[in-house]
Amino acid sequence: MADKYVNWVSSGTGKKIAKKLGLPQPVKLKRYSPEKVNVGLNVLVGGFKNTPVLETLYKTVLDLPVNTFVLEDNQVFRKGLGGNTPTNDEKMKFHGLVFDASGIQNTQDLQSVRDFFNPFFRRINECGRIIVLARDPDTCEDIESAMSNRSLVGFIKSLGKEARRGIAVQIVYVTPDGAENLQSTIEFLLSYKSAYVSGQVIKVHKAEVVKVDRKKPLTNKLALVTGASRGIGKSISEVLARDGAKVVLLDIEPQRSALEKLAKELDGLYITLDITAENAPQVLSEFAEEHGGWDVIVHNAGITKDKMFVNMTPEIWNQVINVNLASQQKINDVLLKEKKINSNGRIICVSSIAGIAGNAGQTNYATSKTGVIGMVDYTAKHLLSDGITINAVAPGFIETDMTAKIPLGIREAGRRLNAMSQGGLPIDVAETIAWYANPSSSGLNGNIVRVCGLMMLGA
Ligand SMILES: NC(=O)c1ccc[n+]([C@@H]2O[C@H](COP(=O)([O-])OP(=O)(O)OC[C@H]3O[C@@H](n4cnc5c(N)ncnc54)[C@H](O)[C@@H]3O)[C@@H](O)[C@H]2O)c1
């Protein structure tokens, strides 16, 4: 299951041979650990025109354990609470470059984005971060502004493909009144929690501003994770428990002993249940009734039953649609109608790159995972109240039991066909889910974020 190539290519000899033969040279991605936060990393912030977003952005970055620098009139200043101090160190490296482009109004203004990033592009550390903030094109008043803000998606995706070296690049569209809701998103994207998230379009809108204890944002929250006994679900459960949640692990009866063991480790609870059982929504509703309601629901359980379409039987078609899609909507339906999700609650779904790009041999799976995107989209727009949100992750190639079953040649292609030249780990999906789950992520609703290392497949 492990990607031995990344280890080999990071060693002295491996590096030399890979370079000589023109083989992919993935860097070992840096991942978050509570002991090693971003202390001491340099982050440069700039913007086109003084916008409300830029003002809030300064405050947000200043509040993080990083060294904040600003670019004004081509001069870099160290920003501190007491004012700005000029710096002339032309060799200084940066962990993060963050640019507020929300003030751009036409195609001429786009040059400001080039002008900010170009001189510093080579000065980004390995596993660094690039973030562009822009105006959500759907909220722009005129065509020039809408198309200019939209065009930045092409910019960040190309930059991510050029940057490589584990550098992640994103665009965050924010509504003009939503700047106060950026905090959890900027923090996640600048941290090593977003190691395998790149080339993503994230939308933040105005919502209630919720303050949390940064180290334990999920304190006193009850979180359900389906398919929790192994793989990605296990990692999600561990991360939510790390962040302070009381985690309820759900899986099918044959996984009971794994569930029991993990529940003990995480001081959590567990339920053995098939989510496709007719009474599943009711069981989860009654459980919520006894425990004060759900704060977080993670629909992670999923299966594959791959066959080329000519061999696709009704049985395997229906099994996949029922586990991956229909059962999740039925559970949401009952829990929302019976008000068993607390206010500012979170529903988080797991789609897949296959649901975005399609995949030969996976018509049933891809249908179910695109359906998840449809479920998130409709629910976000029409079915929520009380500050409850719904979002999804769409993992690319993640090293788990599921992907270990893929034939070697296809598995190797899946691993390398992305800007990071490697597969992701379950923790990468889990950290992304924990960012959605954070109570201060109230401004995120209806997002589909790929955890795919900027895969070459799909839009
Ligand atoms: N591994 C990847 O690369 C990848 C990529 C994209 C999406 N995903 C998605 O991520 C999720 C987790 O994948 P994984 O790789 O950890 O898979 P996995 O097979 O390792 O784990 C899935 C878990 O779901 C449980 N489950 C299956 N059917 C269930 C049911 N009816 N009721 C309750 N539990 C059930 C299984 O027992 C298992 O513990 C799935 O939704 C999968 O489609 C995975």
Side-chain angles (χ1 to χ4, degrees):
M1 219 170 30
D3 183 357
K4 295 192 178 110
Y5 181 76
V6 173
N7 286 334
W8 176 75
V9 92
S10 307
S11 71
T13 336
K15 206 173 199 167
K16 273 187 214 148
I17 297 174
K19 200 168 177 188
K20 220 170 197 172
L21 298 179
L23 296 172
Q25 295 175 61
V27 302
K28 232 182 188 173
L29 296 183
K30 292 183 184 166
R31 291 189 166 85
Y32 171 82
S33 97
E35 293 77 40
K36 282 191 268 160
V37 282
N38 292 7
V39 180
L41 297 176
N42 297 332
V43 175
L44 179 68
V45 182
F48 178 68
K49 294 192 175 155
N50 246 347
T51 68
V53 172
L54 185 59
E55 283 311 307
T56 314
L57 181 63
Y58 285 146
K59 279 189 227 144
T60 306
V61 178
L62 264 177
D63 205 26
L64 296 174
V66 296
N67 306 321
T68 310
F69 293 84
V70 295
L71 184 70
E72 279 169 5
D73 300 329
N74 292 325
Q75 168 72 54
V76 176
F77 295 88
R78 170 87 193 249
K79 197 169 176 74
L81 293 172
N84 296 344
T85 325
T87 141
N88 294 314
D89 180 357
E90 297 207 338
K91 293 214 172 100
M92 185 194 290
K93 294 266 193 180
F94 292 95
H95 164 71
L97 301 180
V98 188
F99 186 72
D100 169 31
S102 67
I104 65 168
Q105 281 167 347
N106 53 49
T107 48
Q108 293 311 303
D109 294 347
L110 283 171
Q111 194 188 320
S112 64
V113 181
R114 192 223 73 94
D115 291 350
F116 175 78
F117 288 108
N118 183 274
F120 299 100
F121 192 54
R122 285 175 184 275
R123 288 163 62 181
I124 306 174
N125 293 329
E126 209 167 271
C127 300
R129 299 287 185 264
I130 293 174
I131 305 171
V132 176
L133 296 165
R135 177 105 178 250
D136 183 344
D138 290 341
T139 69
C140 289
E141 284 88 18
D142 58 75
I143 175 74
E144 278 214 79
S145 165
M147 71 189 200
S148 305
N149 278 279
R150 180 65 190 260
S151 62
L152 293 171
V153 175
F155 172 72
I156 62 109
K157 289 196 179 189
S158 305
L159 211 55
K161 287 176 180 172
E162 282 189 28
R164 305 189 83 93
R165 297 193 298 124
I167 295 168
V169 187
Q170 335 286 346
I171 186 162
V172 180
Y173 281 129
V174 56
T175 53
D177 56 358
E180 298 283 339
N181 295 94
L182 282 169
Q183 184 250 315
S184 69
T185 297
I186 298 295
E187 186 167 0
F188 170 69
L189 295 178
L190 279 178
S191 78
Y192 292 129
K193 291 178 179 177
S194 53
Y196 200 60
V197 177
S198 189
Q200 296 311 291
V201 180
I202 295 160
K203 288 194 176 187
V204 175
H205 63 84
K206 184 177 170 56
E208 187 192 347
V209 176
V210 182
K211 297 276 173 214
V212 289
D213 168 0
R214 279 221 177 103
K215 286 202 177 118
K216 296 274 173 197
L218 294 174
T219 304
N220 296 328
K221 302 290 180 193
L222 187 71
L224 173 73
V225 181
T226 69
S229 69
R230 65 176 200 203
I232 295 174
K234 182 172 184 234
S235 191
I236 296 166
S237 307
E238 288 164 347
V239 171
L240 297 185
R242 176 202 72 192
D243 284 358
K246 179 62 108 186
V247 184
V248 182
L249 312 157
L250 182 151
D251 215 303
I252 48 177
E253 179 58 33
Q255 298 298 105
R256 178 183 283 272
S257 66
L259 280 183
E260 201 166 13
K261 184 167 171 281
L262 188 61
K264 212 177 232 174
E265 278 168 31
L266 303 181
D267 192 21
L269 303 164
Y270 72 92
I271 305 174
T272 54
L273 180 69
D274 182 334
I275 52 167
T276 62
E278 211 164 313
N279 67 343
Q282 217 42 52
V283 171
L284 296 175
S285 174
E286 282 160 22
F287 191 95
E289 182 67 34
E290 283 165 33
H291 292 82
W294 297 111
D295 296 294
V296 180
I297 308 263
V298 185
H299 288 299
N300 162 75
I303 56 168
T304 48
K305 299 270 173 193
D306 298 353
K307 281 271 180 258
M308 293 310 280
F309 186 60
V310 287
N311 302 318
M312 184 66 68
T313 63
E315 289 73 28
I316 61 173
W317 174 272
N318 284 325
Q319 277 172 16
V320 170
I321 299 290
N322 286 338
V323 175
N324 296 3
L325 181 61
S327 63
Q328 307 188 5
Q329 183 270 324
K330 286 179 190 160
I331 290 170
N332 290 348
D333 191 41
V334 169
L335 296 181
L336 286 169
K337 279 193 182 131
E338 296 186 0
K339 299 222 170 285
K340 295 293 162 34
I341 303 179
N342 295 331
S343 64
N344 200 27
R346 304 275 178 265
I347 306 171
I348 302 158
C349 303
V350 180
S351 177
S352 166
I353 196 80
I356 292 171
N359 200 14
Q362 291 198 313
T363 48
N364 53 353
Y365 184 73
T367 302
S368 73
K369 293 296 186 180
T370 312
V372 168
I373 294 173
M375 177 173 74
V376 169
D377 199 34
Y378 189 91
T379 307
K381 287 182 183 139
H382 304 289
L383 303 178
L384 301 178
S385 58
D386 288 341
I388 298 170
T389 66
I390 185 166
N391 294 283
V393 292
F397 185 97
I398 307 294
E399 306 280 354
T400 65
D401 291 350
M402 195 184 255
T403 47
K405 284 190 270 175
I406 301 172
L408 180 68
I410 303 175
R411 187 162 75 223
E412 226 2 66
R415 272 181 179 142
R416 306 293 160 223
L417 282 178
N418 59 73
M420 306 285 175
S421 299
Q422 60 196 286
L425 301 181
I427 185 86
D428 300 323
V429 181
E431 295 285 15
T432 310
I433 285 176
W435 156 60
Y436 283 143
N438 190 318
S440 59
S441 294
S442 46
L444 297 166
N445 191 28
N447 281 280
I448 312 294
V449 165
R450 288 162 50 167
V451 184
C452 68
L454 219 183
M455 215 178 205
M456 304 300 163
L457 306 174

